[in-house]
């Protein structure tokens, strides 16, 4: 599971409102209760600089940035997050649980306005060059996800505002991505009670962590 640098890097992916944040939090609580040293973080964000970029990309007019500019901004945020938060934690042998990572850029910027996936991947190779050890895809039908996401208050609405058609393409895209990278992806049905989903996530992660006593 580990790449030899010490820690284990776990990401959650899925459409808006699928329950990623809820499940990431639950997983971290469960792993900490087992005595593991765990860092919970998120994208865009996860370091002071990246949180500043988060405000630039998630607030304001939906047409504020072109898709290409967005790819640069999300990748800049990710690079800072990696340098300041993720890599130091992994080097210290900690488990890093991250709510969204590069797969979200592959989907949201790579698919929503033309096919920019190749550009996303090229920039990723150049500037990030790190994939998670395990990616939990919380799969969910867009109608349910959108109604859940709309239930939250806040000013970060740019991508949720893209509507159900885009969310349907994102869901299909995430499932295709899971098929493209079967070694690190696990797909979990998110349309069940929180506790049921959490139990399956924990079982999946435990299996992936295997016999690592220190994880
Ligand atoms: P995401 O991070 O994927 O956008 P959240 O974890 O923020 O999703 O969940 C979105 C909303 O749905 C929240 O109000 C949360 O309490 C609720 N929620 C999460 N998981 C479930 C579930 N399994 N069943 C019902 N509601 C859920
Ligand atoms: P997030 O806070 O995870 O939203 P949610 O809880 O609704 O899933 O992410 C905010 C938005 O940012 C979400 O709509 C997806 C988008 N996003 C991208 O477009 N590209 C990216 O690379 C990332 C990490 C997120």
């Amino acid at each position: 599971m580990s790449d030899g640098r010490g820690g284990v890097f776990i990401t959650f992916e899925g459409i808006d409102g699928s329950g990623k944040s809820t499940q990431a939090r639950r997983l971290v609580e469960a792993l900490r209760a087992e005595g593991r040293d765990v860092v919970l973080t998120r994208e865009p964000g996860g370091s002071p600089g990246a949180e500043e970029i988060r405000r630039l990309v998630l607030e304001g007019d939906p047409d504020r940035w072109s898709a290409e500019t967005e790819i640069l901004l999300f990748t800049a945020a990710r690079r800072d997050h990696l340098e300041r938060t993720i890599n130091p934690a992994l080097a210290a042998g900690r488990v890093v649980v991250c709510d969204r990572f590069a797969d979200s850029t592959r989907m949201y910027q790579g698919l929503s306005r033309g096919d920019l996936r190749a550009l996303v991947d090229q920039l990723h190779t150049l500037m990030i060059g790190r994939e998670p050890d395990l990616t939990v895809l919380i799969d969910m039908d867009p109608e349910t996800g959108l109604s859940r996401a709309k239930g939250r208050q806040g000013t970060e609405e740019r991508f949720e505002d893209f509507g159900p058609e885009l969310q349907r393409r994102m869901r299909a895209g995430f499932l295709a991505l899971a098929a493209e990278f079967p070694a690190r992806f696990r797909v979990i049905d998110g349309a069940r009670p929180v506790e049921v989903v959490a139990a399956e996530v924990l079982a999946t992660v435990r299996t992936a962590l295997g016999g690592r006593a220190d994880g």
Side-chain angles (χ1 to χ4, degrees):
M1 196 76 247
S2 161
D3 70 349
R5 280 189 286 176
V8 180
F9 184 25
I10 301 169
T11 59
F12 279 82
E13 296 283 358
I15 61 171
D16 295 319
S18 56
K20 297 175 301 300
S21 313
T22 304
Q23 292 302 328
R25 258 194 325 270
R26 298 281 296 238
L27 174 66
V28 167
E29 284 165 15
L31 292 176
R32 283 182 182 154
E34 291 178 354
R36 291 185 189 268
D37 187 3
V38 190
V39 177
L40 174 62
T41 187
R42 68 163 182 184
E43 290 209 349
S47 61
E51 290 288 338
E52 284 190 42
I53 298 174
R54 178 183 179 101
R55 284 190 284 281
L56 290 176
V57 285
L58 294 188
E59 294 176 15
D61 189 330
D63 297 325
R64 188 175 184 188
W65 310 109
S66 71
E68 288 82 356
T69 310
E70 260 175 35
I71 293 170
L72 290 164
L73 287 168
F74 278 109
T75 306
R78 182 161 304 127
R79 174 75 195 206
D80 191 64
H81 185 208
L82 202 64
E83 287 177 4
R84 312 276 172 143
T85 305
I86 298 174
N87 281 344
L90 292 175
R94 307 176 78 183
V95 177
V96 175
V97 175
C98 188
D99 188 351
R100 294 194 185 277
F101 191 65
D103 295 318
S104 283
T105 316
R106 292 187 171 104
M107 293 297 100
Y108 287 82
Q109 283 65 49
L111 296 186
S112 64
R113 283 160 289 175
D115 183 3
L116 294 176
R117 169 74 192 277
L119 190 61
V120 172
D121 281 336
Q122 281 169 347
L123 198 59
H124 179 81
T125 302
L126 265 177
M127 298 313 303
I128 308 298
R130 177 71 159 89
E131 299 295 348
D133 298 305
L134 176 71
T135 299
V136 178
L137 172 57
I138 307 288
D139 182 48
M140 148 102 6
D141 73 277
E143 284 72 21
T144 311
L146 212 58
S147 69
R148 284 187 191 172
K150 290 279 179 208
R152 291 176 308 201
Q153 299 293 314
T155 50
E156 294 180 344
E157 292 191 331
R158 296 196 46 225
F159 295 90
E160 290 160 15
D161 281 353
F162 281 177
E165 174 51 32
L166 179 73
Q167 300 292 349
R168 264 192 290 280
R169 285 176 46 215
M170 292 298 123
R171 181 197 197 181
F174 273 122
L175 289 170
L177 210 54
E180 189 179 336
F181 302 109
R184 71 175 164 92
F185 264 94
R186 300 290 179 275
V187 182
I188 290 183
D189 175 10
R192 296 173 297 167
V194 173
E195 299 71 29
V196 176
V197 179
E200 192 175 333
V201 169
L202 183 59
T204 301
V205 168
R206 276 214 191 101
T207 304
L209 290 173
R212 290 170 56 89
D214 58 346

